[in-house]
Amino acid sequence: MAIETMTPDEYRKILAEAMSEKDLQADVRKKATAHGWRAFCWWSSQHSPAGWPDLVLVREVNEHQARMVFVELKSEKGKVGPEQEEVHRLLRLTGHAVYVWRPSSLLSGRVEEALA
């Protein structure tokens, strides 16, 4: 009987496809808090303005400056809608970073890198 093995990338792909947006948000908020960010999210997307990102993160850079970023969370196959794209464009015009993170972003280390 042969035992099949998988690569780390194959394993991450399976994990990413199984992760819900709710679990992704919990993990991102935990990592953000660990890096000194304060997180705000709407308690229900039904009560948020159309297209508004899922998370707003803010962190002090120094005593005279803070950084604020906006985060849209999507399942691995979730799509960013036209209203979301427009809100993201407007937020970027204000000079803020806007990220779209998926489970693969978390598992690859891209989330951690952006929060550091």
mmCIF file of all heavy atoms in Angstrom, residues 26-73:
data_model
loop_
_atom_site.group_PDB
_atom_site.id
_atom_site.type_symbol
_atom_site.label_atom_id
_atom_site.label_comp_id
_atom_site.label_asym_id
_atom_site.label_seq_id
_atom_site.Cartn_x
_atom_site.Cartn_y
_atom_site.Cartn_z
ATOM 1 N N ALA A 26 -11.505 36.188 12.319
ATOM 2 C CA ALA A 26 -11.026 35.949 13.683
ATOM 3 C C ALA A 26 -9.501 35.853 13.708
ATOM 4 O O ALA A 26 -8.845 36.433 14.580
ATOM 5 C CB ALA A 26 -11.657 34.688 14.252
ATOM 6 N N ASP A 27 -8.921 35.135 12.749
ATOM 7 C CA ASP A 27 -7.465 34.988 12.702
ATOM 8 C C ASP A 27 -6.767 36.307 12.376
ATOM 9 O O ASP A 27 -5.739 36.640 12.966
ATOM 10 C CB ASP A 27 -7.067 33.922 11.682
ATOM 11 C CG ASP A 27 -7.380 32.504 12.143
ATOM 12 O OD1 ASP A 27 -7.724 32.323 13.333
ATOM 13 O OD2 ASP A 27 -7.272 31.585 11.316
ATOM 14 N N VAL A 28 -7.325 37.069 11.443
ATOM 15 C CA VAL A 28 -6.730 38.366 11.085
ATOM 16 C C VAL A 28 -6.799 39.318 12.272
ATOM 17 O O VAL A 28 -5.818 40.006 12.582
ATOM 18 C CB VAL A 28 -7.412 38.969 9.841
ATOM 19 C CG1 VAL A 28 -7.012 40.434 9.652
ATOM 20 C CG2 VAL A 28 -7.060 38.160 8.598
ATOM 21 N N ARG A 29 -7.930 39.358 12.953
ATOM 22 C CA ARG A 29 -8.058 40.246 14.119
ATOM 23 C C ARG A 29 -7.070 39.861 15.218
ATOM 24 O O ARG A 29 -6.469 40.726 15.855
ATOM 25 C CB ARG A 29 -9.489 40.230 14.653
ATOM 26 C CG ARG A 29 -10.447 40.942 13.702
ATOM 27 C CD ARG A 29 -11.810 41.026 14.259
ATOM 28 N NE ARG A 29 -11.789 41.962 15.390
ATOM 29 C CZ ARG A 29 -12.854 42.376 16.022
ATOM 30 N NH1 ARG A 29 -14.049 41.952 15.669
ATOM 31 N NH2 ARG A 29 -12.768 43.219 17.020
ATOM 32 N N LYS A 30 -6.867 38.560 15.420
ATOM 33 C CA LYS A 30 -5.922 38.094 16.427
ATOM 34 C C LYS A 30 -4.493 38.533 16.065
ATOM 35 O O LYS A 30 -3.759 39.042 16.911
ATOM 36 C CB LYS A 30 -5.989 36.569 16.537
ATOM 37 C CG LYS A 30 -5.198 36.004 17.699
ATOM 38 C CD LYS A 30 -5.218 34.475 17.732
ATOM 39 C CE LYS A 30 -6.626 33.950 17.820
ATOM 40 N NZ LYS A 30 -6.685 32.474 17.891
ATOM 41 N N LYS A 31 -4.120 38.373 14.812
ATOM 42 C CA LYS A 31 -2.778 38.784 14.375
ATOM 43 C C LYS A 31 -2.623 40.304 14.446
ATOM 44 O O LYS A 31 -1.580 40.805 14.856
ATOM 45 C CB LYS A 31 -2.499 38.289 12.963
ATOM 46 C CG LYS A 31 -2.240 36.800 12.916
ATOM 47 C CD LYS A 31 -1.705 36.372 11.570
ATOM 48 C CE LYS A 31 -1.438 34.889 11.545
ATOM 49 N NZ LYS A 31 -0.392 34.448 12.448
ATOM 50 N N ALA A 32 -3.667 41.026 14.054
ATOM 51 C CA ALA A 32 -3.606 42.490 14.099
ATOM 52 C C ALA A 32 -3.400 42.973 15.530
ATOM 53 O O ALA A 32 -2.548 43.828 15.796
ATOM 54 C CB ALA A 32 -4.885 43.083 13.504
ATOM 55 N N THR A 33 -4.160 42.420 16.454
ATOM 56 C CA THR A 33 -4.026 42.791 17.869
ATOM 57 C C THR A 33 -2.626 42.485 18.380
ATOM 58 O O THR A 33 -2.027 43.292 19.098
ATOM 59 C CB THR A 33 -5.091 42.059 18.706
ATOM 60 O OG1 THR A 33 -6.387 42.428 18.211
ATOM 61 C CG2 THR A 33 -5.002 42.436 20.171
ATOM 62 N N ALA A 34 -2.084 41.346 17.987
ATOM 63 C CA ALA A 34 -0.732 40.968 18.421
ATOM 64 C C ALA A 34 0.321 41.939 17.913
ATOM 65 O O ALA A 34 1.373 42.104 18.536
ATOM 66 C CB ALA A 34 -0.411 39.548 17.944
ATOM 67 N N HIS A 35 0.037 42.621 16.800
ATOM 68 C CA HIS A 35 0.974 43.597 16.229
ATOM 69 C C HIS A 35 0.631 45.036 16.638
ATOM 70 O O HIS A 35 1.157 45.986 16.055
ATOM 71 C CB HIS A 35 1.001 43.486 14.708
ATOM 72 C CG HIS A 35 1.779 42.304 14.208
ATOM 73 N ND1 HIS A 35 3.150 42.262 14.205
ATOM 74 C CD2 HIS A 35 1.367 41.121 13.719
ATOM 75 C CE1 HIS A 35 3.556 41.110 13.724
ATOM 76 N NE2 HIS A 35 2.490 40.391 13.428
ATOM 77 N N GLY A 36 -0.263 45.187 17.611
ATOM 78 C CA GLY A 36 -0.560 46.519 18.130
ATOM 79 C C GLY A 36 -1.637 47.290 17.395
ATOM 80 O O GLY A 36 -1.830 48.484 17.641
ATOM 81 N N TRP A 37 -2.353 46.645 16.496
ATOM 82 C CA TRP A 37 -3.432 47.318 15.772
ATOM 83 C C TRP A 37 -4.718 47.267 16.593
ATOM 84 O O TRP A 37 -4.971 46.323 17.318
ATOM 85 C CB TRP A 37 -3.695 46.615 14.440
ATOM 86 C CG TRP A 37 -2.586 46.725 13.447
ATOM 87 C CD1 TRP A 37 -1.518 45.884 13.332
ATOM 88 C CD2 TRP A 37 -2.438 47.708 12.435
ATOM 89 N NE1 TRP A 37 -0.717 46.290 12.298
ATOM 90 C CE2 TRP A 37 -1.260 47.415 11.724
ATOM 91 C CE3 TRP A 37 -3.188 48.818 12.050
ATOM 92 C CZ2 TRP A 37 -0.814 48.188 10.664
ATOM 93 C CZ3 TRP A 37 -2.746 49.590 10.979
ATOM 94 C CH2 TRP A 37 -1.573 49.271 10.306
ATOM 95 N N ARG A 38 -5.527 48.289 16.444
ATOM 96 C CA ARG A 38 -6.895 48.278 16.971
ATOM 97 C C ARG A 38 -7.804 48.005 15.787
ATOM 98 O O ARG A 38 -7.636 48.594 14.724
ATOM 99 C CB ARG A 38 -7.240 49.606 17.617
ATOM 100 C CG ARG A 38 -6.428 49.839 18.874
ATOM 101 C CD ARG A 38 -6.793 51.154 19.497
ATOM 102 N NE ARG A 38 -5.921 51.393 20.629
ATOM 103 C CZ ARG A 38 -6.346 51.776 21.806
ATOM 104 N NH1 ARG A 38 -7.625 51.986 22.016
ATOM 105 N NH2 ARG A 38 -5.499 51.963 22.788
ATOM 106 N N ALA A 39 -8.754 47.125 15.973
ATOM 107 C CA ALA A 39 -9.610 46.693 14.870
ATOM 108 C C ALA A 39 -11.047 47.132 15.092
ATOM 109 O O ALA A 39 -11.567 47.068 16.201
ATOM 110 C CB ALA A 39 -9.545 45.174 14.732
ATOM 111 N N PHE A 40 -11.663 47.561 14.020
ATOM 112 C CA PHE A 40 -13.086 47.873 14.022
ATOM 113 C C PHE A 40 -13.727 47.065 12.911
ATOM 114 O O PHE A 40 -13.198 46.988 11.804
ATOM 115 C CB PHE A 40 -13.340 49.364 13.776
ATOM 116 C CG PHE A 40 -14.797 49.673 13.543
ATOM 117 C CD1 PHE A 40 -15.648 49.818 14.623
ATOM 118 C CD2 PHE A 40 -15.305 49.768 12.270
ATOM 119 C CE1 PHE A 40 -17.000 50.061 14.424
ATOM 120 C CE2 PHE A 40 -16.659 50.019 12.050
ATOM 121 C CZ PHE A 40 -17.503 50.169 13.134
ATOM 122 N N CYS A 41 -14.854 46.458 13.214
ATOM 123 C CA CYS A 41 -15.628 45.791 12.167
ATOM 124 C C CYS A 41 -17.107 46.010 12.439
ATOM 125 O O CYS A 41 -17.522 46.254 13.562
ATOM 126 C CB CYS A 41 -15.297 44.298 12.090
ATOM 127 S SG CYS A 41 -15.787 43.368 13.541
ATOM 128 N N TRP A 42 -17.880 45.946 11.391
ATOM 129 C CA TRP A 42 -19.327 46.052 11.523
ATOM 130 C C TRP A 42 -19.829 44.768 12.143
ATOM 131 O O TRP A 42 -19.342 43.691 11.830
ATOM 132 C CB TRP A 42 -19.964 46.254 10.146
ATOM 133 C CG TRP A 42 -19.421 47.445 9.439
ATOM 134 C CD1 TRP A 42 -18.428 47.460 8.510
ATOM 135 C CD2 TRP A 42 -19.790 48.805 9.641
ATOM 136 N NE1 TRP A 42 -18.172 48.746 8.123
ATOM 137 C CE2 TRP A 42 -18.998 49.595 8.796
ATOM 138 C CE3 TRP A 42 -20.720 49.431 10.458
ATOM 139 C CZ2 TRP A 42 -19.109 50.985 8.734
ATOM 140 C CZ3 TRP A 42 -20.832 50.813 10.397
ATOM 141 C CH2 TRP A 42 -20.033 51.569 9.551
ATOM 142 N N TRP A 43 -20.804 44.859 13.019
ATOM 143 C CA TRP A 43 -21.303 43.649 13.661
ATOM 144 C C TRP A 43 -22.106 42.800 12.689
ATOM 145 O O TRP A 43 -22.295 41.621 12.898
ATOM 146 C CB TRP A 43 -22.086 43.964 14.927
ATOM 147 C CG TRP A 43 -23.315 44.790 14.746
ATOM 148 C CD1 TRP A 43 -23.388 46.145 14.658
ATOM 149 C CD2 TRP A 43 -24.652 44.332 14.633
ATOM 150 N NE1 TRP A 43 -24.684 46.556 14.486
ATOM 151 C CE2 TRP A 43 -25.490 45.454 14.476
ATOM 152 C CE3 TRP A 43 -25.243 43.078 14.650
ATOM 153 C CZ2 TRP A 43 -26.864 45.362 14.328
ATOM 154 C CZ3 TRP A 43 -26.621 42.991 14.509
ATOM 155 C CH2 TRP A 43 -27.407 44.125 14.354
ATOM 156 N N SER A 44 -22.541 43.387 11.595
ATOM 157 C CA SER A 44 -23.231 42.635 10.552
ATOM 158 C C SER A 44 -23.096 43.406 9.254
ATOM 159 O O SER A 44 -23.321 44.618 9.221
ATOM 160 C CB SER A 44 -24.702 42.466 10.907
ATOM 161 O OG SER A 44 -25.417 41.959 9.798
ATOM 162 N N SER A 45 -22.743 42.717 8.190
ATOM 163 C CA SER A 45 -22.605 43.399 6.901
ATOM 164 C C SER A 45 -23.932 43.992 6.442
ATOM 165 O O SER A 45 -23.956 44.917 5.641
ATOM 166 C CB SER A 45 -22.060 42.439 5.850
ATOM 167 O OG SER A 45 -22.949 41.350 5.670
ATOM 168 N N GLN A 46 -25.035 43.492 6.983
ATOM 169 C CA GLN A 46 -26.348 44.038 6.635
ATOM 170 C C GLN A 46 -26.523 45.454 7.187
ATOM 171 O O GLN A 46 -27.389 46.188 6.740
ATOM 172 C CB GLN A 46 -27.453 43.131 7.168
ATOM 173 C CG GLN A 46 -27.440 41.760 6.525
ATOM 174 C CD GLN A 46 -28.384 40.799 7.219
ATOM 175 O OE1 GLN A 46 -28.787 41.017 8.362
ATOM 176 N NE2 GLN A 46 -28.726 39.723 6.536
ATOM 177 N N HIS A 47 -25.696 45.824 8.155
ATOM 178 C CA HIS A 47 -25.817 47.140 8.779
ATOM 179 C C HIS A 47 -24.648 48.052 8.417
ATOM 180 O O HIS A 47 -24.443 49.075 9.063
ATOM 181 C CB HIS A 47 -25.916 46.989 10.304
ATOM 182 C CG HIS A 47 -27.111 46.206 10.735
ATOM 183 N ND1 HIS A 47 -28.372 46.739 10.779
ATOM 184 C CD2 HIS A 47 -27.246 44.909 11.095
ATOM 185 C CE1 HIS A 47 -29.226 45.810 11.160
ATOM 186 N NE2 HIS A 47 -28.565 44.693 11.358
ATOM 187 N N SER A 48 -23.885 47.664 7.403
ATOM 188 C CA SER A 48 -22.759 48.499 6.989
ATOM 189 C C SER A 48 -23.077 49.130 5.643
ATOM 190 O O SER A 48 -23.871 48.615 4.871
ATOM 191 C CB SER A 48 -21.477 47.663 6.896
ATOM 192 O OG SER A 48 -21.565 46.740 5.836
ATOM 193 N N PRO A 49 -22.429 50.263 5.351
ATOM 194 C CA PRO A 49 -22.643 50.890 4.044
ATOM 195 C C PRO A 49 -22.192 49.946 2.922
ATOM 196 O O PRO A 49 -21.199 49.230 3.064
ATOM 197 C CB PRO A 49 -21.751 52.132 4.093
ATOM 198 C CG PRO A 49 -21.485 52.374 5.548
ATOM 199 C CD PRO A 49 -21.528 51.033 6.209
ATOM 200 N N ALA A 50 -22.902 49.959 1.824
ATOM 201 C CA ALA A 50 -22.575 49.082 0.697
ATOM 202 C C ALA A 50 -21.142 49.307 0.233
ATOM 203 O O ALA A 50 -20.703 50.446 0.055
ATOM 204 C CB ALA A 50 -23.542 49.334 -0.457
ATOM 205 N N GLY A 51 -20.414 48.227 0.080
ATOM 206 C CA GLY A 51 -19.053 48.295 -0.432
ATOM 207 C C GLY A 51 -17.978 48.571 0.588
ATOM 208 O O GLY A 51 -16.788 48.509 0.282
ATOM 209 N N TRP A 52 -18.368 48.890 1.815
ATOM 210 C CA TRP A 52 -17.389 49.241 2.843
ATOM 211 C C TRP A 52 -16.597 48.002 3.253
ATOM 212 O O TRP A 52 -17.168 46.940 3.440
ATOM 213 C CB TRP A 52 -18.099 49.848 4.055
ATOM 214 C CG TRP A 52 -17.175 50.615 4.931
ATOM 215 C CD1 TRP A 52 -16.673 50.208 6.120
ATOM 216 C CD2 TRP A 52 -16.616 51.902 4.697
ATOM 217 N NE1 TRP A 52 -15.833 51.162 6.638
ATOM 218 C CE2 TRP A 52 -15.777 52.214 5.786
ATOM 219 C CE3 TRP A 52 -16.732 52.832 3.666
ATOM 220 C CZ2 TRP A 52 -15.061 53.403 5.875
ATOM 221 C CZ3 TRP A 52 -16.027 54.013 3.743
ATOM 222 C CH2 TRP A 52 -15.211 54.293 4.838
ATOM 223 N N PRO A 53 -15.262 48.133 3.417
ATOM 224 C CA PRO A 53 -14.452 46.968 3.805
ATOM 225 C C PRO A 53 -14.869 46.378 5.151
ATOM 226 O O PRO A 53 -15.451 47.058 5.998
ATOM 227 C CB PRO A 53 -13.032 47.537 3.884
ATOM 228 C CG PRO A 53 -13.060 48.724 2.980
ATOM 229 C CD PRO A 53 -14.442 49.311 3.148
ATOM 230 N N ASP A 54 -14.506 45.112 5.340
ATOM 231 C CA ASP A 54 -14.889 44.380 6.544
ATOM 232 C C ASP A 54 -14.194 44.879 7.806
ATOM 233 O O ASP A 54 -14.785 44.857 8.879
ATOM 234 C CB ASP A 54 -14.564 42.890 6.372
ATOM 235 C CG ASP A 54 -15.369 42.261 5.259
ATOM 236 O OD1 ASP A 54 -16.604 42.362 5.296
ATOM 237 O OD2 ASP A 54 -14.751 41.676 4.352
ATOM 238 N N LEU A 55 -12.943 45.279 7.692
ATOM 239 C CA LEU A 55 -12.174 45.710 8.863
ATOM 240 C C LEU A 55 -11.511 47.059 8.614
ATOM 241 O O LEU A 55 -11.047 47.331 7.504
ATOM 242 C CB LEU A 55 -11.051 44.720 9.183
ATOM 243 C CG LEU A 55 -11.420 43.343 9.704
ATOM 244 C CD1 LEU A 55 -10.173 42.471 9.804
ATOM 245 C CD2 LEU A 55 -12.075 43.457 11.069
ATOM 246 N N VAL A 56 -11.453 47.849 9.664
ATOM 247 C CA VAL A 56 -10.638 49.061 9.686
ATOM 248 C C VAL A 56 -9.619 48.847 10.798
ATOM 249 O O VAL A 56 -9.993 48.557 11.934
ATOM 250 C CB VAL A 56 -11.482 50.327 9.973
ATOM 251 C CG1 VAL A 56 -10.597 51.564 10.006
ATOM 252 C CG2 VAL A 56 -12.597 50.484 8.946
ATOM 253 N N LEU A 57 -8.347 48.939 10.465
ATOM 254 C CA LEU A 57 -7.272 48.742 11.435
ATOM 255 C C LEU A 57 -6.501 50.037 11.594
ATOM 256 O O LEU A 57 -6.186 50.704 10.607
ATOM 257 C CB LEU A 57 -6.316 47.638 10.963
ATOM 258 C CG LEU A 57 -6.927 46.273 10.668
ATOM 259 C CD1 LEU A 57 -5.869 45.330 10.112
ATOM 260 C CD2 LEU A 57 -7.565 45.689 11.913
ATOM 261 N N VAL A 58 -6.188 50.384 12.838
ATOM 262 C CA VAL A 58 -5.419 51.598 13.104
ATOM 263 C C VAL A 58 -4.360 51.278 14.151
ATOM 264 O O VAL A 58 -4.601 50.517 15.089
ATOM 265 C CB VAL A 58 -6.338 52.774 13.538
ATOM 266 C CG1 VAL A 58 -7.029 52.497 14.846
ATOM 267 C CG2 VAL A 58 -5.575 54.078 13.573
ATOM 268 N N ARG A 59 -3.177 51.873 13.953
ATOM 269 C CA ARG A 59 -2.061 51.640 14.875
ATOM 270 C C ARG A 59 -1.193 52.889 14.928
ATOM 271 O O ARG A 59 -0.927 53.525 13.914
ATOM 272 C CB ARG A 59 -1.223 50.452 14.394
ATOM 273 C CG ARG A 59 0.004 50.200 15.245
ATOM 274 C CD ARG A 59 0.750 48.971 14.814
ATOM 275 N NE ARG A 59 1.469 49.217 13.574
ATOM 276 C CZ ARG A 59 2.279 48.337 13.007
ATOM 277 N NH1 ARG A 59 2.441 47.136 13.531
ATOM 278 N NH2 ARG A 59 2.899 48.625 11.893
ATOM 279 N N GLU A 60 -0.737 53.206 16.134
ATOM 280 C CA GLU A 60 0.161 54.349 16.316
ATOM 281 C C GLU A 60 1.526 54.021 15.734
ATOM 282 O O GLU A 60 2.082 52.952 15.977
ATOM 283 C CB GLU A 60 0.294 54.677 17.809
ATOM 284 C CG GLU A 60 1.105 55.917 18.078
ATOM 285 C CD GLU A 60 1.127 56.297 19.548
ATOM 286 O OE1 GLU A 60 0.095 56.106 20.232
ATOM 287 O OE2 GLU A 60 2.166 56.771 19.995
ATOM 288 N N VAL A 61 2.052 54.949 14.943
ATOM 289 C CA VAL A 61 3.390 54.808 14.383
ATOM 290 C C VAL A 61 4.387 55.460 15.336
ATOM 291 O O VAL A 61 5.425 54.901 15.650
ATOM 292 C CB VAL A 61 3.478 55.453 12.980
ATOM 293 C CG1 VAL A 61 4.896 55.426 12.445
ATOM 294 C CG2 VAL A 61 2.514 54.758 12.020
ATOM 295 N N ASN A 62 4.040 56.674 15.768
ATOM 296 C CA ASN A 62 4.795 57.400 16.787
ATOM 297 C C ASN A 62 3.827 58.357 17.457
ATOM 298 O O ASN A 62 2.642 58.352 17.131
ATOM 299 C CB ASN A 62 6.021 58.121 16.189
ATOM 300 C CG ASN A 62 5.639 59.114 15.103
ATOM 301 O OD1 ASN A 62 4.746 59.935 15.271
ATOM 302 N ND2 ASN A 62 6.307 59.022 13.956
ATOM 303 N N GLU A 63 4.296 59.167 18.381
ATOM 304 C CA GLU A 63 3.348 60.012 19.130
ATOM 305 C C GLU A 63 2.658 61.074 18.278
ATOM 306 O O GLU A 63 1.687 61.674 18.710
ATOM 307 C CB GLU A 63 4.039 60.662 20.332
ATOM 308 C CG GLU A 63 5.113 61.677 19.983
ATOM 309 C CD GLU A 63 5.732 62.284 21.214
ATOM 310 O OE1 GLU A 63 6.537 61.589 21.860
ATOM 311 O OE2 GLU A 63 5.398 63.441 21.535
ATOM 312 N N HIS A 64 3.116 61.269 17.049
ATOM 313 C CA HIS A 64 2.516 62.277 16.169
ATOM 314 C C HIS A 64 1.839 61.678 14.939
ATOM 315 O O HIS A 64 1.324 62.413 14.108
ATOM 316 C CB HIS A 64 3.587 63.264 15.696
ATOM 317 C CG HIS A 64 4.282 63.959 16.814
ATOM 318 N ND1 HIS A 64 3.661 64.885 17.621
ATOM 319 C CD2 HIS A 64 5.541 63.835 17.290
ATOM 320 C CE1 HIS A 64 4.516 65.316 18.537
ATOM 321 N NE2 HIS A 64 5.665 64.689 18.357
ATOM 322 N N GLN A 65 1.866 60.371 14.822
ATOM 323 C CA GLN A 65 1.372 59.768 13.595
ATOM 324 C C GLN A 65 0.782 58.379 13.858
ATOM 325 O O GLN A 65 1.297 57.617 14.673
ATOM 326 C CB GLN A 65 2.535 59.644 12.608
ATOM 327 C CG GLN A 65 2.157 59.258 11.219
ATOM 328 C CD GLN A 65 3.383 59.232 10.305
ATOM 329 O OE1 GLN A 65 4.518 59.165 10.753
ATOM 330 N NE2 GLN A 65 3.140 59.294 9.017
ATOM 331 N N ALA A 66 -0.284 58.091 13.129
ATOM 332 C CA ALA A 66 -0.900 56.763 13.180
ATOM 333 C C ALA A 66 -1.110 56.286 11.744
ATOM 334 O O ALA A 66 -1.082 57.077 10.797
ATOM 335 C CB ALA A 66 -2.227 56.803 13.925
ATOM 336 N N ARG A 67 -1.322 55.015 11.611
ATOM 337 C CA ARG A 67 -1.575 54.427 10.294
ATOM 338 C C ARG A 67 -2.929 53.737 10.337
ATOM 339 O O ARG A 67 -3.267 53.068 11.315
ATOM 340 C CB ARG A 67 -0.483 53.408 9.960
ATOM 341 C CG ARG A 67 -0.658 52.775 8.606
ATOM 342 C CD ARG A 67 0.576 51.995 8.194
ATOM 343 N NE ARG A 67 0.327 51.413 6.879
ATOM 344 C CZ ARG A 67 0.563 50.152 6.565
ATOM 345 N NH1 ARG A 67 1.083 49.343 7.467
ATOM 346 N NH2 ARG A 67 0.307 49.709 5.365
ATOM 347 N N MET A 68 -3.711 53.919 9.269
ATOM 348 C CA MET A 68 -5.004 53.269 9.169
ATOM 349 C C MET A 68 -5.057 52.515 7.845
ATOM 350 O O MET A 68 -4.660 53.050 6.808
ATOM 351 C CB MET A 68 -6.142 54.289 9.230
ATOM 352 C CG MET A 68 -7.507 53.665 9.181
ATOM 353 S SD MET A 68 -8.882 54.756 9.665
ATOM 354 C CE MET A 68 -8.592 56.226 8.725
ATOM 355 N N VAL A 69 -5.511 51.266 7.902
ATOM 356 C CA VAL A 69 -5.682 50.461 6.695
ATOM 357 C C VAL A 69 -7.077 49.856 6.693
ATOM 358 O O VAL A 69 -7.700 49.687 7.748
ATOM 359 C CB VAL A 69 -4.610 49.353 6.573
ATOM 360 C CG1 VAL A 69 -3.221 49.944 6.521
ATOM 361 C CG2 VAL A 69 -4.718 48.336 7.691
ATOM 362 N N PHE A 70 -7.532 49.542 5.512
ATOM 363 C CA PHE A 70 -8.853 48.944 5.328
ATOM 364 C C PHE A 70 -8.667 47.554 4.743
ATOM 365 O O PHE A 70 -7.823 47.349 3.877
ATOM 366 C CB PHE A 70 -9.692 49.809 4.388
ATOM 367 C CG PHE A 70 -9.957 51.177 4.936
ATOM 368 C CD1 PHE A 70 -9.062 52.218 4.728
ATOM 369 C CD2 PHE A 70 -11.102 51.422 5.683
ATOM 370 C CE1 PHE A 70 -9.303 53.477 5.248
ATOM 371 C CE2 PHE A 70 -11.344 52.679 6.212
ATOM 372 C CZ PHE A 70 -10.448 53.708 5.990
ATOM 373 N N VAL A 71 -9.453 46.607 5.233
ATOM 374 C CA VAL A 71 -9.285 45.211 4.832
ATOM 375 C C VAL A 71 -10.623 44.615 4.409
ATOM 376 O O VAL A 71 -11.588 44.629 5.178
ATOM 377 C CB VAL A 71 -8.689 44.370 5.987
ATOM 378 C CG1 VAL A 71 -8.522 42.918 5.548
ATOM 379 C CG2 VAL A 71 -7.368 44.951 6.470
ATOM 380 N N GLU A 72 -10.646 44.113 3.201
ATOM 381 C CA GLU A 72 -11.782 43.344 2.697
ATOM 382 C C GLU A 72 -11.399 41.872 2.822
ATOM 383 O O GLU A 72 -10.331 41.461 2.370
ATOM 384 C CB GLU A 72 -12.042 43.686 1.225
ATOM 385 C CG GLU A 72 -13.242 42.986 0.637
ATOM 386 C CD GLU A 72 -14.532 43.441 1.275
ATOM 387 O OE1 GLU A 72 -14.728 44.651 1.496
ATOM 388 O OE2 GLU A 72 -15.367 42.550 1.567
ATOM 389 N N LEU A 73 -12.248 41.088 3.452
ATOM 390 C CA LEU A 73 -11.980 39.664 3.630
ATOM 391 C C LEU A 73 -12.884 38.867 2.700
ATOM 392 O O LEU A 73 -14.079 39.139 2.604
ATOM 393 C CB LEU A 73 -12.243 39.260 5.082
ATOM 394 C CG LEU A 73 -11.371 39.981 6.112
ATOM 395 C CD1 LEU A 73 -11.889 39.738 7.511
ATOM 396 C CD2 LEU A 73 -9.925 39.543 5.985
#
